[in-house]
Each structure stands twice: as structure tokens, then as C-alpha cells.
Amino acid sequence: MIRALVRSIPDSFVDALGQEPGTRIDPAVARRQHSAYVAALSKLGVELLRVPADESTPDCVFVEDRVVTIGEAVVLTRSAAPSRDAERAGILSAMSGLDLEPVVMPPGACADGGDVLRLGKTLVVGRSARTNPAGLAFLRHIAQHQGWDVREVPLPAGTLHLKCYCSCPSPGVLVFAPSRLSQAAFSGLYDVAIGVPEDEAWAANTVGVSGRVLVGAGQPKTARLLGEAGLDIVLIDASEMAKADGSLTCMSAFLPPS
Ligand code: CIR
């Protein structure tokens, strides 16, 4: 069974990283949007491991960044953002009842799952301010054990994560923002590439589950493009998450199937 980890939103989410000056996050709206997202995953047959919120870590809802699944292996990452590093503890304790043995990144290595895109059995990893060379080397080490390849991709300055601007919603399908990422970075790793318009670059972050594709609401050109490409889309409003630089993939961490 497909399974994923999700985490509730703390009241401290109002202090999440990445907000533009003057932004005000409404935790009630964020929770409503998060619930709809979680319900969509559940409806699509995803078995959910729900981790309670942690008030001391405002960004803890973005579980994708702390958990990287590579084949049968699960890596719990260290964060280059000091306020996010403590997120691991609650995740580790929630996972203790599972049939998994997560490996924690060694000290000095940092990575965010938002920088890790799976295309077939290749991990495309963005070199960002959140993913350092030691983090990348550790992911490569685990990937090699699992028989996976790793490809490093440099990111344009100011890009938080690789997956802010790309995703793989269905096997062989790359959705990306050509205004931010070069298609050549992914060469040989996809069958079909769908470029989203520059004014909807954020919409390149999608989640594919059970033949359906979650797409951010309010991005009509992308929704039309993906629909025309034959993808069966489900619109999800994540506007409150976007205020904290969050997108769709970051609210779940897919684990090896049970
Ligand atoms: C941060 O800056 O870490 C959070 N405010 C946003 C993290 C988004 N994560 C993701 O897209 N994977």
C-alpha cells in the first residue's frame, strides 16, 4: 500500500520561514487547506502516518524536507535552517512503530527533501542553500546501495528548492518551469516534458498518486496544459502554504510501500 507521512500545523506556523515582509499567515486557513490536502491523499488510497504538530518548529508541516525515501531506504535529513533541525525528533518517534529503519544524516551533512526529485531510479538533487555537498554525498551513498543513480543540478540564485519548479506526477512525465530550470538538466530521464508558463512557475510542483495529479488551484494555464496532456488532475488550494514558500509536495513524505 502507498503510504506517506503528514504533520499537523502548529500555531507557530505564523512564524514560518520565507515570508515576505507584511505577510500574515492565518493558521485556521492553513489548517483548512492542509486538511483538504490530507483528505485528497487519503481518498486516493494513501495510508497516512500522522505526526502531531510541534510548536517549537514553525515549519514542521513541511515534512518532505526531513524525510527522503530512496527505494527501501529512508533518510532523515539534517536542516541547514537551524529552526528546522528539531523537526526530526517528532518524525523519528512517529516512525518508531513502523517496519522501517530510518537512517539519520551524519552531522555536517544537510539536505531538504524539496531538493530531491525522483525520475525513474534517478534522484535529481538540487544544490541549494539547504543541500550541501556532504548532504548530497550522503544521499549518493544511500542511493548507490539501493541501485539508484544521482544527478546533481545547480539551481539559480535565490531558488529555495529544486522542486519549487519541477515534479514528476506520473512515471516518465516531467513538469517543470522552463523560466527557472533548464530542460537539459533532466535529459534522458523523462519521456514527456511539460513546461509551465512563466507566470505560473510555482504550479510545476505537483503530486502524483494512484493515477491522479494534485495541482495547485488558481493556476489555470497549467491545469489546462496538464489536462490536455492526459493527466487526471485534482485542484488543491495551498495559497496559505505558499506564503511560507510551501507547495504541494512539501506537505507529505512518501515512504516505502507497506
Ligand atoms: C522553509 O523555508 O523551509 C519553509 N518555509 C518552506 C519549505 C518548503 N518545502 C518544500 O517545498 N519542500
Side-chain angles (χ1 to χ4, degrees), residues 151-228:
R151 183 184 296 186
E152 282 181 49
V153 178
L155 298 181
T159 304
L160 176 62
H161 290 135
L162 171 71
K163 281 193 293 189
C164 290
Y165 301 119
C166 63
S167 57
C168 175
S170 169
V173 178
L174 170 71
V175 180
F176 78 114
S179 56
R180 311 294 178 117
L181 297 172
S182 146
Q183 189 166 341
F186 307 97
S187 66
L189 300 179
Y190 60 84
D191 301 319
V192 180
I194 303 171
V196 307
E198 186 167 3
D199 58 345
E200 293 188 4
W202 203 249
N205 181 284
T206 65
V207 177
V209 194
S210 310
R212 308 290 303 276
V213 180
L214 310 190
V215 179
Q219 324 208 61
K221 295 179 216 164
T222 301
R224 197 172 54 244
L225 273 174
L226 299 185
E228 283 166 4

Side-chain angles (χ1 to χ4, degrees), residues 70 116-118 121-125 139 143 148-151:
I70 311 171
V116 181
L117 174 69
R118 288 167 202 77
K121 284 186 83 177
T122 299
L123 288 190
V124 182
V125 183
L139 293 177
W148 284 55
D149 291 325
V150 173
R151 183 184 296 186

Side-chain angles (χ1 to χ4, degrees), residues 16-18 59 62 64-65 84 112 114 130 160-161 244-247 250:
L17 298 174
D59 287 282
F62 300 127
E64 165 181 67
D65 291 325
R84 298 207 56 191
D112 273 0
R130 298 287 181 87
L160 176 62
H161 290 135
D245 277 345
S247 41
C250 50

Side-chain angles (χ1 to χ4, degrees), residues 38-254:
V38 170
L41 292 182
S42 176
K43 197 168 157 199
L44 292 173
V46 181
E47 181 187 2
L48 295 167
L49 175 64
R50 295 166 192 262
V51 185
D54 174 357
E55 284 299 336
S56 72
T57 56
D59 287 282
C60 65
V61 64
F62 300 127
V63 280
E64 165 181 67
D65 291 325
R66 290 290 68 74
V67 183
V68 176
T69 294
I70 311 171
E72 293 301 311
V74 178
V75 177
L76 286 203
T77 65
R78 292 185 188 268
S79 180
S83 69
R84 298 207 56 191
D85 205 45
E87 293 169 6
R88 258 193 335 276
I91 294 177
L92 263 173
S93 95
M95 287 178 76
S96 63
L98 301 183
D99 56 327
L100 298 170
E101 289 181 18
V103 210
V104 178
M105 266 189 164
C110 294
D112 273 0
D115 278 324
V116 181
L117 174 69
R118 288 167 202 77
L119 281 172
K121 284 186 83 177
T122 299
L123 288 190
V124 182
V125 183
R127 277 201 311 274
S128 72
R130 298 287 181 87
T131 298
N132 68 9
L136 227 144
F138 188 72
L139 293 177
R140 191 184 292 282
H141 166 73
I142 301 291
Q144 274 167 353
H145 266 261
Q146 294 290 321
W148 284 55
D149 291 325
V150 173
R151 183 184 296 186
E152 282 181 49
V153 178
L155 298 181
T159 304
L160 176 62
H161 290 135
L162 171 71
K163 281 193 293 189
C164 290
Y165 301 119
C166 63
S167 57
C168 175
S170 169
V173 178
L174 170 71
V175 180
F176 78 114
S179 56
R180 311 294 178 117
L181 297 172
S182 146
Q183 189 166 341
F186 307 97
S187 66
L189 300 179
Y190 60 84
D191 301 319
V192 180
I194 303 171
V196 307
E198 186 167 3
D199 58 345
E200 293 188 4
W202 203 249
N205 181 284
T206 65
V207 177
V209 194
S210 310
R212 308 290 303 276
V213 180
L214 310 190
V215 179
Q219 324 208 61
K221 295 179 216 164
T222 301
R224 197 172 54 244
L225 273 174
L226 299 185
E228 283 166 4
L231 298 174
D232 188 359
I233 65 175
V234 180
L235 294 177
I236 298 284
D237 187 357
S239 53
E240 215 59 19
M241 305 296 159
K243 290 181 181 174
D245 277 345
S247 41
L248 297 184
T249 59
C250 50
M251 292 186 277
S252 53
F254 284 82

